[in-house]
Amino acid sequence: MSDHTTHFGFQKVDESAKARKVAQVFDSVARRYDLMNDLMSGGLHRLWKAFTIAQSGVREGSRVLDIAGGTGDLALAFARKVGKRGLVVHTDINNAMLARGRDRLLDKGFPTPATQCDAEFLPFPADSFDCVTVAFGLRNMTHKDKALAEMHRVLKPGGRLLVLEFSRVWKPLSPLYDFYSFQVIPRVGQVVAQDAASYQYLAESIRMHPDQETLKGIMAAVGLEKVEYFNLCLGIVALHRGYKF
């Protein structure tokens, strides 16, 4: 792969085109995003996110940056934990997703700042946040190392980064998981969201994402320390955690 191409699912595309293609996916699925997450995971995504919050160390008064926060479920949970003395900033590169998340937080009584931005160019000063999270968003980023370096930059010393993402499943489970991913999920996406192609991309993007050990190495390479990961549901999902010292 040349310096100017990247993956969009299994396709090789010019780097300049990936962000646009990903934006089209999320513009299409935003309205049914939460329902599809429940259907695809059998509700398990709620437990994965609860585990992420439990591992975050966030408490009252903490400052949290939620990147690629989508419809705001993590941001809402963090807002409840940090209380009035804390701060949660909810971001996404996609306006349709960010707007749904902003409205959800407002409806729940949390007027959390919402910022549309690219994770590779975060508009925040260095050493700003106690915790940075990205849940199911890293695999859609063109330059994952650059995005992770930005996340490291905006962390305070002693802060931690948590990356919740689909990962490499336990090998004996792979055939069943592949059948579910490529045969079932796109069909459900067509019925529920009238969009099979976006959910085909989802399945493909998971396979192109770095495995657990590779992502751990990338996080360490951008300066994060004590990097570790927790496999959830036999590696279907992994939570990576690293610190800035």
Side-chain angles (χ1 to χ4, degrees):
M1 184 169 291
S2 79
D3 290 341
H4 303 291
T5 59
T6 188
H7 288 290
F8 176 75
F10 290 160
Q11 300 176 48
K12 185 187 284 189
V13 299
D14 191 89
E15 286 184 349
S16 62
K18 180 169 180 174
R20 174 175 51 80
K21 287 179 173 289
V22 170
Q24 290 170 348
V25 167
F26 285 97
D27 284 343
S28 174
V29 305
R31 188 173 61 89
R32 296 286 187 174
Y33 185 78
D34 293 318
L35 174 60
M36 281 296 297
N37 280 349
D38 280 330
L39 292 173
M40 288 187 300
S41 71
L44 286 171
H45 75 100
R46 299 174 185 273
L47 298 179
W48 300 332
K49 290 167 184 172
F51 181 75
T52 300
I53 292 162
Q55 296 298 322
S56 71
V58 166
R59 58 193 178 199
E60 188 173 356
S62 292
R63 295 172 59 90
V64 179
L65 175 62
D66 185 28
I67 293 175
T71 55
D73 44 1
L74 264 187
L76 177 60
F78 279 127
R80 287 172 169 150
K81 285 190 74 72
V82 304
K84 292 182 179 179
R85 295 193 300 110
L87 173 71
V88 176
V89 179
H90 170 225
T91 77
D92 203 290
I93 195 171
N94 183 271
N95 183 262
M97 296 288 286
L98 185 68
R100 292 187 71 83
R102 177 202 61 207
D103 292 349
R104 178 191 215 168
L105 285 152
L106 286 171
D107 288 346
K108 297 290 185 179
F110 293 94
T112 300
T115 303
Q116 185 175 356
C117 63
D118 185 337
E120 295 181 21
F121 305 96
L122 293 174
F124 308 107
D127 305 332
S128 293
F129 297 96
D130 300 294
C131 182
V132 176
T133 59
V134 54
F136 304 113
L138 184 64
R139 72 180 188 284
N140 297 313
M141 297 174 190
T142 304
H143 305 103
K144 296 173 180 60
D145 55 345
K146 188 172 182 179
L148 290 166
E150 276 288 272
M151 297 176 207
H152 175 267
R153 179 183 67 81
V154 301
L155 276 173
K156 294 179 180 179
R160 52 262 174 223
L161 169 66
L162 293 111
V163 180
L164 181 67
E165 189 55 89
F166 293 108
S167 199
R168 201 69 75 244
V169 71
W170 182 49
K171 195 160 187 176
L173 192 60
S174 288
L176 179 60
Y177 185 52
D178 286 346
F179 175 81
Y180 179 71
S181 298
F182 291 105
Q183 301 301 322
V184 177
I185 287 179
R187 287 176 168 81
V188 174
Q190 181 59 41
V191 171
V192 175
Q194 290 76 56
D195 186 353
S198 291
Y199 288 95
Q200 179 74 22
Y201 162 74
L202 167 68
E204 293 177 2
S205 68
I206 292 169
R207 272 66 183 182
M208 302 309 299
H209 186 67
D211 65 19
Q212 288 91 326
E213 285 293 328
T214 302
L215 180 54
K216 179 181 177 180
I218 297 170
M219 291 175 66
V222 302
L224 289 153
E225 299 182 54
K226 290 180 63 178
V227 180
E228 59 185 334
Y229 61 85
F230 308 87
N231 280 324
L232 307 176
C233 293
L234 301 174
I236 290 175
V237 167
L239 174 66
H240 284 69
R241 181 174 61 185
Y243 295 82
K244 177 178 178 178
F245 293 119

